[in-house]
Amino acid sequence: MNYSRLHLKIFNTLSHSSHNRRFSKQCSLAAAYVINGKQIAKEVQVELKAEIDQWKEEGNIVPHLTAVLVGNDPGSKLYVKNKMKAAKSVGITSAVIEKPHQTSQAELLDVVAMLNAEPSINAVLVQLPLPKHMNERTVCDAVHPDKDVDGFHMSNIGKLCLDVPNLIPATAFAVWELLKRSGIDTFGKNAVVCGRSKNIGMPVAALLHSDGDNGFKMGMDATVTTCHRYTPAKNLPEFTKNADIIIVAVGSPNLITADMVKEGATVIDVGINRIWDAKQERYRLVGDVDFEGVSKKASFITPVPGGVGPMTVAMLMKNTLQAAKIQTKKKREKTAIH
Ligand code: NAD
Ligand code: L34
């Protein structure tokens, strides 16, 4: 083990116990330290604002994000609104292009091509899901890879799998940042990812088992098992009970219960589900984890809301600055040659 890894290990042990002490003072019912994604996202945004201010002071382009929103999905509208608000708070300019549900795929691709061609726009995202008459893969692959702040373009996904990422999918990046900032060691640990979607589960798994030995500073070096819809329900607990870290990105309330979790595990809940609360007579947001039960057994847990969601938005902002940097570097290299 090299010195930095050893140092990280000692730091993690220390920070882990201090987190637990801090939490036990706050709440005597649950054992787990609740990772406050909302708070950490705020911290990331404060740091990012300073970095963007500095970037601008050096005479660089003001980073700009344009989101394309197709249709009237209330969830998508809210998420895009959250993204625009975050952009403003860190000094990124932003815009939303709204298109009606019946927009053709060809028309949407024209909009994306126009955004790709505009040098003052550094970051482009097309909010998902798209209407059924469109092919999400075709649309994601239409965004220029250097403006693709979602990291969904096939070349960005491919680079992530090769441990040489360009732009990392924001939710996977959010999971990485939450684990790092909470001092959770992943080196040589057993991790289970529930969900294998190309945008969430798969990139999370790729980052978790990425190799830190070959100059990839974000390498997590965990041993990863991916479970999915065809993992027999009766077998799922065998995998999850063996995990030091469980990441759940399925979209199924209460999929993970306390009996499926090892004492002291870290549980990151990516799921977002709106369920009807008969008692309060309103819809309520829950994740995929039975928070009440699992938080009594885990040592770290993320809540929903206030966990991965706000961090996804913060990491999208990080990606927007990264995109501006990538484009600026390429432009300088080009002018240096000619
Ligand atoms: P998806 O529907 O594309 O994928 C769901 C995955 O879950 C599939 O790979 C499927 O095989 C797997 N699955 C289904 N049943 C399972 C089971 N019983 N056990 C194990 N795996 C099972 O969804 P997605 O886009 O990957 O999103 C997953 C969840 O994460 C959703 O609730 C979504 O709303 C949420 N989400 C949250 C954020 C965030 O920032 N917090 C971002 C994106 C998505
Ligand atoms: N292209 N489409 C593209 N990129 C993405 O990264 C997303 N996603 C997912 C849906 N479609 C996408 C998001 O941004 C989900 N997602 C997202 C963004 C923000 C939040 C959750 C998911 C979020 O802010 N969640 C808050 C609660 C918001 C509420 O009240 O519903 C939270 O505390 O979890």
Side-chain angles (χ1 to χ4, degrees):
M1 187 186 295
N2 63 29
Y3 172 74
S4 63
R5 291 245 168 114
L6 182 66
H7 181 260
L8 187 72
K9 232 181 155 147
I10 295 166
F11 167 78
N12 284 340
T13 316
L14 291 173
S15 64
H16 188 271
S17 55
S18 72
H19 273 316
N20 276 342
R21 269 204 306 280
R22 255 165 63 194
F23 186 68
S24 58
K25 272 188 206 156
Q26 290 162 13
C27 178
S28 55
L29 268 178
Y33 176 76
V34 180
I35 298 172
N36 188 338
K38 205 170 170 184
Q39 181 59 35
I40 299 176
K42 269 190 200 150
E43 287 164 19
V44 167
Q45 284 175 207
V46 167
E47 292 165 17
L48 189 60
K49 183 174 188 309
E51 202 182 336
I52 292 173
D53 286 347
Q54 170 82 25
W55 168 257
K56 290 180 196 166
E57 268 168 38
E58 288 163 5
N60 292 301
I61 185 172
V62 176
H64 179 95
L65 166 70
T66 290
V68 185
L69 182 57
V70 186
N72 274 314
D73 181 76
S76 296
K77 280 194 165 177
L78 174 68
Y79 301 149
V80 170
K81 197 173 137 206
N82 290 351
K83 290 171 186 182
M84 298 301 115
K85 210 171 130 195
K88 195 167 181 213
S89 80
V90 297
I92 290 171
T93 60
S94 64
V96 185
I97 297 180
E98 291 191 48
K99 296 301 250 179
H101 177 92
Q102 64 275 18
T103 304
S104 71
Q105 178 167 304
E107 204 183 321
L108 179 61
L109 292 177
D110 281 347
V111 171
V112 171
M114 182 267 289
L115 299 173
N116 284 343
E118 176 50 55
S120 66
I121 296 174
N122 309 109
V124 176
L125 78 84
V126 181
Q127 189 69 19
L128 303 178
L130 288 170
K132 294 267 179 288
H133 63 272
M134 297 196 193
N135 182 310
E136 289 191 350
R137 176 67 5 233
T138 306
V139 174
C140 290
D141 286 341
V143 176
H144 190 287
D146 292 341
K147 294 192 177 187
D148 170 38
V149 279
D150 269 330
F152 293 165
H153 188 284
M154 65 163 93
S155 91
N156 283 326
I157 292 289
K159 285 181 177 176
L160 177 66
C161 293
L162 294 171
D163 296 347
V164 287
N166 188 47
L167 290 160
I168 299 170
T171 304
F173 202 0
V175 169
W176 183 90
E177 192 84 36
L178 285 173
L179 291 173
K180 287 289 161 194
R181 289 194 185 231
S182 307
I184 293 152
D185 194 10
T186 54
F187 187 80
K189 301 290 181 194
N190 287 343
V192 164
V193 181
C194 295
R196 61 168 172 192
S197 73
K198 301 304 174 209
N199 297 343
I200 317 286
M202 195 274 281
V204 166
L207 261 184
L208 276 165
H209 62 57
S210 59
D211 186 345
D213 278 347
N214 301 317
F216 179 39
K217 290 197 180 75
M218 290 177 68
M220 297 181 95
D221 292 302
T223 304
V224 182
T225 305
T226 299
C227 299
H228 49 79
R229 71 174 88 251
Y230 299 122
T231 304
K234 67 173 173 42
N235 297 120
L236 187 60
E238 286 168 26
F239 297 110
T240 54
K241 271 198 255 181
N242 194 31
D244 303 301
I245 299 156
I246 306 174
I247 318 281
V248 200
V250 172
S252 173
N254 290 320
L255 178 71
I256 303 299
T257 47
D259 56 313
M260 297 166 76
V261 174
K262 183 165 88 173
E263 195 86 42
T266 292
V267 181
I268 307 288
D269 192 351
V270 182
I272 293 188
N273 309 286
R274 259 166 240 278
I275 59 162
W276 178 249
D277 187 328
K279 249 192 223 162
Q280 298 188 38
E281 291 194 344
R282 63 176 178 87
Y283 281 97
R284 193 160 57 87
L285 210 64
V286 297
D288 291 343
V289 174
D290 165 26
F291 183 85
E292 212 193 320
V294 172
S295 59
K296 293 189 176 104
K297 213 161 167 196
S299 61
F300 290 91
I301 190 166
T302 57
V304 177
V308 178
M311 269 309 272
T312 297
V313 175
M315 301 321 277
L316 177 73
M317 299 305 127
K318 265 202 161 189
N319 276 351
T320 301
L321 175 61
Q322 179 65 8
K325 286 185 173 175
I326 291 169
Q327 288 152 45
T328 303
K329 186 166 176 266
K330 284 200 175 167
K331 218 165 152 185
R332 286 193 186 133
E333 281 166 1
K334 219 171 162 186
T335 42
I337 294 164
H338 295 296

